Amino acid sequence: MAGLPTTARVVIIGGGVVGASSLYHLCKAGWTDCVLLEKNELTSGSTWHAAGNVPTFSSSWSLMNMQRYSTELYRGLAEAVDYPMNYHVTGSLRLAHTKERMQEFQRAKGMGRYQGMDIDVVGLDEIKRRYPFIETHELKGALYDPSDGDIDPAQLTQALAKGARDMGAKIIRFCPVTGVRRENDEWVVATPQGEIRCEIVVNAAGYRAAEVGKMFGREVPMMVMSHQYILFEEIPELAAWSKEQGKKLPLLRDVDTSYYLRQEKTGMNLGPYERNCRAHWATHNDPMPEDFSFQLFPDDLDRLEHYLADAVARVPILGTAGLSKVINGPIPYAPDGNPLIGPMPGVPNAFEACVFTFGIAQGGGAGKVLAEWVTQGQTEWDMWSCDPRRFTSFASAPDYCVAKGMEIYGNEYAIQFPRHAWPEGRNRKLSPLHDRIKALGGRFDAYNGWERATWYAKPGDDTSEESTLTFRRDGPWQHRVREECLAVRDAAGILDLPGFSRFNLEGPGAADWLALQVTGLVPKPGRIGLVYFSDDKGRIVTEMSVVRHGEDQMTLITAAVAQWHDFEWLKSRMPAGEVFTLTDRTEAYSTQILAGPNSRKILAEVCAADLALPWLTHQETTIAGRWAKLVRVSFAGELGWEIHSKVADTATVFDAVWSAGQNHGLKPFGMYALDSLRLEKGYRAWKGDLSTDYSILQGGLERFVKWDKPDFRGKAALLNEKQQGVKKRFVTLVVEDPSDCDAPYMSTLWHDGRIVGETTSGGWGHRIDKSIALGMLRADLAEPGTPVEVEIFGDRFKAVVQKDEPLWDPKNERLRA
Ligand SMILES: Cc1cc2nc3c(=O)[nH]c(=O)nc-3n(C[C@H](O)[C@H](O)[C@H](O)COP(=O)(O)OP(=O)(O)OC[C@H]3O[C@@H](n4cnc5c(N)ncnc54)[C@H](O)[C@@H]3O)c2cc1C
């Protein structure tokens, strides 16, 4: 056994597939002075017993990217590192029982083809042709993915480990990390074999990631489920077929029933995600044992019975097979089911690559992403879906993690519908107005844990969860959302926006420093302005509103979900010694949006503020005797103000405004209406339209770039891109003769039979009565009037490129009124 080195550049804690892949990719990036420490033997966590399925399917663009990369890596890995392994690329059939499932498949096919994969949606005959043993009752069709398959997880891990060792990395087994401490800007990692000093640490401890996280003072949002599969003995018909055909059956996933069925040698492997699932190590009475290496939970066949019966009816030869083994192992879940890959929140030079529920399928891609984070501080693809900072502190509460983990596990294959609010883990953070909003009919969803109204129902409206399980635009909310939008257009609307992230930046030099961080101008005192942050490659990191109170005193406001990400982006770039300060004040204030032509009249009745002050100004005032800040902006695209108040005063302020508004047609409006209103203005949404997948120039944000500033982050890259010319460009499209669904994120755009771009968001604009899509289009086609086609759930619709101005109120006259 190799001895423990005393120093390394990077230490990875955990030798499952993800730790090994991270090590391999760091070495590939030239960082070979890396050490992986494993508590027991490589693979002894979740990896050794994984079924080894390697799907590419996902409804998330970034997860699909990561999984696609894995399949490409695994195909060449054995040869690349000279380590033979069993990787069967069998293809898979993902079965659909419903029209909505077929829509989901059509969308995945569109995304998959855009990523260069040959995914297809097939009918019953084709299912039968590819899978002769199947019964097709209750089926509508299937998604065929030729690159799906299964790999031996232990061999995969060993292959990655060998590749890394061959490049110079060290792997120390039977070496548990027992603690870490910070000394002289270095990490000291303690183990029973001694200490090791390093620059960077990676937590790749799988289902033990929370335990390792605690060593850093970090509460990892996660829980552990038990997950089972059953192995069956040889099935003679299957053995004969396989021999004759010289191949295995494609992997079958009955996602509506919630299981997969895979040929395993000449038998089968059945793996359900049970609705009646079980969490482990979730209470004080059931602590995680100190060591669970290479161990399993007892079989729990009762939970599997329903799925077994269903699978036998679907593939009757399974009914003839004897059961040979049950594998029931620990599998970690984050509260949204995606892994954590990226900077460890609040901890310098530490990263996470843990809490994987599909670590075999995602391990290859995860190693690439982690290595990019470590070596470059940024990733090729926008990886917000896996960024640990997408969860803030509330999400680490054990009861929240257990509730969400069980919900996701039991619905692992569920379709993600745009208007469906998952019911578990709710009411974590309530607005001071929550009861009032509820009494007005508010239907809620959680935004970084904050409950916000999505729409307002009236008595008799269908507010059932079932009614939201659709991709159709015209659910029960639609006519109410329309009423809300028209109230904002014709009179006034008020939207309660708790949890708007806000940071105070103040102290000598703060404004000068901020000017270097943003592409454009920091607004003058008394003004508010939108600023964009670019990375070194010129890509869009984030957008914030700057409310400048004084020379070096300002509040930066950003999306609720961006709270930790944006705070850290700023904080980690502040100069050492900190002559100015950055403070998170999100919890101290609340915001309401008042918008519409009557909003001035309403405010005039409740405060003495100068309401003639122009657009993009702000002022302090009192409403009902309480301090408030009026900021004259409107994401809704009408005359309007944001009303910021202290949390304790928000209800009083709201009551005064609401009461004055009753004579002026004031109505409450929700997040769905706001989304519709902002689409008509072409305002971008965070991590849809605005992401590191696009540069500031591609995003059509050049008006927020001040080229003659001496310097700003990303300037060189952006100047270079400007000289070369952008390859794709942000456009607003109007979909003509639209279907009954609007374009979801990442719908492909077609021209002359070729894919020429993608949508970044879409929806119905009620003020213009049109289906709108925002997206990225090949630059030469981004001319107003150009017709393209947008693929919405498999069908293509004509869409026309619009002028580079808002569809509603193009000259912003209503905003400036
Ligand atoms: C029954 C079952 C079937 C599955 N099937 C599939 C499948 O078909 N496809 C798929 O993609 N995924 C599958 N999974 C999930 C998959 O197993 C995991 O996502 C994956 O193995 C996670 O890999 P990892 O490297 O993150 O974690 P792990 O494999 O758990 O590795 C973490 C390692 O960290 C080590 N460690 C922990 N604490 C310390 C410490 N203090 N010091 C040093 N080392 C430490 C552990 O010993 C362990 O080896 C399945 C899971 C189960 C339970």
Side-chain angles (χ1 to χ4, degrees), residues 13-19 37-55 175-178 204-208 211-212 215 225-229 260 262 273 293 327-332 353-362:
I13 305 172
V17 64
V18 175
L37 303 177
E38 164 54 47
K39 180 183 172 89
N40 190 279
E41 178 58 271
L42 290 182
T43 77
S44 60
S46 288
T47 298
W48 70 277
H49 57 60
N53 304 331
V54 188
C175 185
V177 170
T178 52
Y207 63 78
R208 306 197 84 97
E211 192 178 271
V212 169
M215 299 176 192
M225 297 293 300
S226 86
H227 181 40
Q228 309 182 77
Y229 59 84
Y260 68 82
R262 193 186 87 201
Y273 288 92
S293 308
I327 301 285
N328 185 3
I331 188 166
C354 50
V355 197
F356 281 77
T357 63
F358 292 99
I360 313 305
Q362 294 169 351

Side-chain angles (χ1 to χ4, degrees), residues 262-274:
R262 193 186 87 201
Q263 180 174 348
E264 179 72 30
K265 300 198 176 83
T266 51
M268 284 197 156
N269 169 345
L270 173 73
Y273 288 92
E274 318 91 277

Side-chain angles (χ1 to χ4, degrees), residues 577-598:
E578 291 190 19
V579 275
F580 46 89
T581 57
L582 184 75
T583 330
D584 188 331
R585 302 289 285 153
T586 306
E587 308 274 337
Y589 293 86
S590 201
T591 306
Q592 294 157 68
I593 292 181
L594 178 67
N598 292 351

